């Protein structure tokens, strides 16, 4: 008698955006019944779009609007994987369950970086009541519950997440302080002119921006935060603190299993890690010495791996498809602060040409950076009408046809 078909077991550690995209693509491309995909997520939620958390905080979206499809994969929520054994091809969960796999995909994402501010934690080492990161649906729920009880909020970190959080809280009627340790907001992506527009826009929402070059100290008696004292002695009373200081790849599982880890889990052009049948995608993966840490890169990696595995399962292995590194991108919208930045947006030097259109009255700023006539970076603030054309121009790597100024203005735009 013929042997019954046994589906290829694909275990995905993580149930975030990269994991959901990979599962959906693989199950859509692979022959029916050839793969059984299981996502293991430590959070108690099914996969969701993490980039919409500030929109949720502002009340722009209902909770169900951020859910992500998985193509029929099994999703094990609230199931943390605590160990993997690449030699035995097994994983172990926090609940003591051991499960086997044929292919393992690490999509463990990234963890928030928590600043080491004096007084931020209790004597036991836990964050004080009222102090939150903003990385998960649970974080968002905790922040929302605290701000509903009144008082001022302070956001620590002036990157895209911090500015987005400050905008969301202010839009909900909460008085907000925003603390940043650099001279310019979003300084990794914006130049001083663009950052000044962003600062004026958030200030118009009632957000007070503080540039803190030293180390702030958290205040409060007992277990709850009561505010921050800046290095110059300024006291900011606050009932809620939101920490938006960046993220770092989650690599503990991979490191403990003996996989090669640098900043992230090291992968080759096929997204394979250093052990057979193990791959890594998304915020935890390091490809060609780069951890991209962006949704676009995670989706590109998920698509590439899903296509390769689907081809293998169909018996027609495809050639190596190296995931194309997406153009560096920042995007913040859906509110008064609208920003897009592409590529080498802050590049300068004798080999670069910069075209800028700024209107302080309207609160708009448009900038195109060219090298040899080729757009290599751009910034748009306050008016994203031309965002598609500008983004395509930077991604194409081709010289601008005609006047570069026309690209910034756009047809019908003044």
């Amino acid at each position: 008698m013929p042997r019954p078909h046994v589906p290829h077991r694909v275990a995905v550690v993580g149930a975030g955006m990269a994991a959901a995209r990979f599962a959906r693509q693989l199950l859509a491309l692979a022959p029916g019944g050839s793969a059984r995909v299981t996502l293991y997520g430590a959070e108690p939620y099914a996969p969701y779009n993490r980039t919409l958390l500030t929109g949720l905080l502002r009340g722009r979206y209902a909770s169900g609007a951020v859910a992500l499809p998985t193509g029929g994969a099994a999703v094990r929520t609230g199931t943390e994987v605590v160990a993997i054994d690449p030699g035995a091809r097994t994983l172990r969960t926090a609940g003591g369950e051991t499960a086997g796999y044929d292919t393992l995909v690490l999509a463990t994402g990234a963890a928030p970086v928590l600043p080491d501010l004096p007084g931020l934690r209790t004597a036991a080492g836990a964050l004080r009541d009222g102090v939150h990161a903003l990385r998960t649906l649970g974080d968002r729920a905790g922040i929302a519950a605290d701000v509903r009880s009144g008082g001022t909020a302070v956001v620590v970190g002036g990157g895209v997440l911090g500015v987005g959080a400050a905008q969301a809280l202010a839009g909900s009627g909460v008085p907000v302080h925003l603390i940043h340790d650099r001279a310019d907001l979003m300084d990794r992506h914006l130049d001083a002119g663009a950052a000044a527009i962003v600062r004026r826009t958030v200030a118009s929402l009632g957000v007070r921006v503080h540039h803190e070059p030293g180390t702030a100290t958290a205040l409060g008696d007992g277990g709850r935060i009561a505010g921050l004292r800046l290095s110059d002695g300024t006291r900011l009373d606050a009932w809620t603190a939101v920490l938006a200081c960046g993220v770092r790849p989650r690599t503990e599982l991979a490191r403990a299993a003996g996989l090669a880890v640098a900043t992230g889990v090291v992968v080759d052009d096929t997204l394979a890690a250093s052990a057979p049948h193990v791959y890594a995608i998304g915020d935890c993966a390091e490809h060609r010495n780069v951890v991209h840490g962006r949704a676009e890169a995670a989706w590109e990696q998920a698509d590439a791996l899903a296509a390769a595995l689907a081809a293998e399962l169909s018996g027609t292995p495809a050639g190596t498809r190296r995931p194309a590194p997406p153009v560096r991108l920042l995007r913040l919208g859906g509110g008064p602060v609208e920003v897009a930045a592409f590529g080498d947006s802050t590049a300068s030097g004798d080999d670069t040409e910069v075209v800028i259109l700024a209107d302080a009255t309207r609160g708009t700023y448009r900038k195109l950076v060219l090298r040899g006539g080729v757009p290599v970076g751009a910034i748009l603030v306050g008016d994203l009408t031309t965002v598609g054309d500008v983004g395509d121009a930077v991604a194409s790597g081709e010289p601008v046809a005609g006047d570069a100024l026309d690209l910034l203005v756009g047809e019908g735009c003044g």
Side-chain angles (χ1 to χ4, degrees), residues 130-208:
V131 180
H132 307 269
L134 182 51
R135 183 68 181 171
T136 70
L137 279 174
D139 295 334
R140 175 261 170 191
I143 294 168
D146 272 349
V147 298
R148 278 197 300 268
S149 63
T152 298
V154 58
V155 178
V156 181
V160 62
L161 181 61
V163 171
Q167 174 180 237
L169 291 168
S172 302
V174 178
V176 181
H177 294 283
L178 175 61
I179 299 175
H180 191 44
D181 62 357
R182 307 287 179 85
D184 297 317
L185 297 175
M186 298 180 173
D187 52 282
R188 289 182 57 197
H189 302 272
L190 304 185
D191 61 17
I197 296 287
V198 171
R199 176 168 180 154
R200 284 198 292 271
T201 304
V202 297
S204 72
L205 303 176
V207 177
R208 297 186 60 186

Side-chain angles (χ1 to χ4, degrees), residues 165-254:
Q167 174 180 237
L169 291 168
S172 302
V174 178
V176 181
H177 294 283
L178 175 61
I179 299 175
H180 191 44
D181 62 357
R182 307 287 179 85
D184 297 317
L185 297 175
M186 298 180 173
D187 52 282
R188 289 182 57 197
H189 302 272
L190 304 185
D191 61 17
I197 296 287
V198 171
R199 176 168 180 154
R200 284 198 292 271
T201 304
V202 297
S204 72
L205 303 176
V207 177
R208 297 186 60 186
V209 180
H210 308 267
H211 293 289
E212 169 59 295
T215 300
T217 300
L219 305 174
D221 297 323
R224 185 168 192 95
I225 192 169
L228 293 176
R229 178 175 286 111
L230 305 185
S231 57
D232 65 1
T234 301
R235 176 181 173 123
L236 307 178
D237 293 324
W239 182 255
T240 305
V242 179
L243 308 178
C245 303
V247 297
R248 63 169 58 94
R250 294 185 186 273
T251 59
E252 298 84 0
L253 271 179

Side-chain angles (χ1 to χ4, degrees), residues 53-61 140 164 167-169 171-172 333-336:
L53 282 176
T54 55
L56 273 176
L57 191 61
R58 189 167 62 247
R60 185 181 178 201
Y61 306 107
R140 175 261 170 191
Q167 174 180 237
L169 291 168
S172 302

